[in-house]
Amino acid sequence: MTKDVETIYEKLRSEIIELKIAPGDRLKEEAVSARFGLSRTPIRDVLKRLEFDGLLTVRPQSGSYVTKIDLSDISDTIYIRAAVEYSVLQTLMGVVNPCDLAEVMLLLSKQRETLSQQSETGEDFTDYYFRADNAFHTLLFKKAGKEHVLERLNSENPVFQRYRYLTFLRGNEEIEGLYRIHTKIVRALELKDDDNLRAVVNEHNFAGLNGIKSVQERHPDWFI
């Protein structure tokens, strides 16, 4: 892909993951072409790549539609991700030092400040929390020397990234819960408490799936 086409792909991919383009929405070649000022041939290549990612479904004689969310597939991915995350954090537990922990806690303190701001103003910080969650995990994997593992987990499963974004729509109470889980992860690393680390990692990965019902009730057309 040329640089321009790659940029368009990344833009559409991000908009689908972050639900700016909703599950079930139709993407018309001509509309996308007009939006970005490119001919339909390279746009068709972009849509094919998004289909390969699992983010689009092509219906014959109808067009390309944003794939709806299948929670049964997501559940399988969570099992894999939880196992990988636990293994990486075990590695980190063996090498982490007080300076590393202080750096992670500084990141969490910024999240705490934003939570307080959201409570006071009622602003929508969904995008912020999605990026803050990514930053938290990126820092932990980096400290373990496994940042490329996380890059592969994220890049190879954009459908799961969309599910992760979806979990931040559950409301402030659930985001508060996520902050507490992140704090417990850091505490387990600090104490080198392997049993607690395993339990918290499982809680962290499955909490979103267990709490997604409220989002389904608000947006039933997004799900299979």
Side-chain angles (χ1 to χ4, degrees):
M1 285 187 173
T2 65
K3 183 178 180 180
D4 285 346
V5 173
E6 182 70 25
T7 300
I8 294 169
Y9 162 75
E10 293 292 345
K11 177 68 173 174
L12 290 175
R13 182 179 185 272
S14 176
E15 288 179 352
I16 294 172
I17 288 174
E18 297 180 8
L19 303 168
K20 308 301 187 291
I21 305 175
D25 282 358
R26 183 182 180 187
L27 283 185
K28 296 182 179 180
E29 283 183 17
E30 58 269 28
V32 178
S33 178
R35 175 184 173 186
F36 293 104
L38 282 182
S39 68
R40 292 176 65 175
T41 299
I43 294 302
R44 191 173 297 121
D45 291 338
V46 169
L47 298 183
K48 285 180 180 178
R49 188 170 172 186
L50 292 169
E51 180 188 7
F52 180 80
D53 288 340
L55 295 173
L56 288 184
T57 300
V58 177
R59 301 178 189 171
Q61 285 80 51
S62 181
S64 299
Y65 294 81
V66 177
T67 305
K68 294 192 176 186
I69 297 163
D70 186 343
L71 291 179
S72 62
D73 286 345
I74 297 298
S75 177
D76 292 342
T77 302
I78 288 175
Y79 277 100
I80 296 169
R81 191 178 180 95
V84 172
E85 185 174 63
Y86 171 62
S87 178
V88 169
L89 292 180
Q90 268 193 316
T91 299
L92 177 58
M93 185 182 290
V95 299
V96 73
N97 59 56
C99 289
D100 293 330
L101 293 172
E103 188 177 348
V104 178
M105 286 307 298
L106 179 61
L107 199 65
L108 289 181
S109 69
K110 293 178 181 177
Q111 293 181 26
R112 176 71 264 173
E113 290 172 7
T114 305
L115 274 169
S116 298
Q117 183 181 350
Q118 183 182 35
S119 297
E120 293 171 3
T121 66
E123 292 181 62
D124 182 1
F125 285 98
T126 303
D127 286 352
Y128 168 82
Y129 289 121
F130 180 64
R131 287 165 176 73
D133 187 59
N134 284 338
F136 174 77
H137 290 286
T138 297
L139 183 57
L140 291 181
F141 274 64
K142 183 178 180 180
K143 294 297 183 182
K146 300 295 182 183
E147 60 265 41
H148 297 306
V149 174
L150 185 61
E151 288 172 5
R152 290 193 63 178
L153 283 176
N154 290 340
S155 64
E156 293 180 3
N157 200 336
V159 171
F160 184 74
Q161 292 306 302
R162 183 175 59 161
Y163 157 76
R164 286 185 57 244
Y165 188 90
L166 188 78
T167 64
F168 290 97
L169 301 181
R170 290 176 296 158
N172 198 50
E173 184 177 338
E174 280 74 14
I175 293 174
E176 288 262 10
L178 180 63
Y179 168 80
R180 290 193 292 270
I181 289 173
H182 283 174
T183 303
K184 287 194 285 186
I185 288 174
V186 177
R187 183 63 173 164
L189 291 171
E190 181 182 18
L191 297 177
K192 300 190 183 302
D193 185 344
D194 185 66
D195 289 340
N196 194 36
L197 180 67
R198 182 194 295 272
V200 173
V201 167
N202 282 332
E203 179 186 3
H204 178 45
N205 279 278
F206 288 97
L209 190 62
N210 294 335
I212 208 72
K213 184 177 180 180
S214 63
V215 181
Q216 283 183 291
E217 289 173 350
R218 293 200 306 274
H219 305 282
D221 54 324
W222 286 4
F223 296 83
I224 293 177

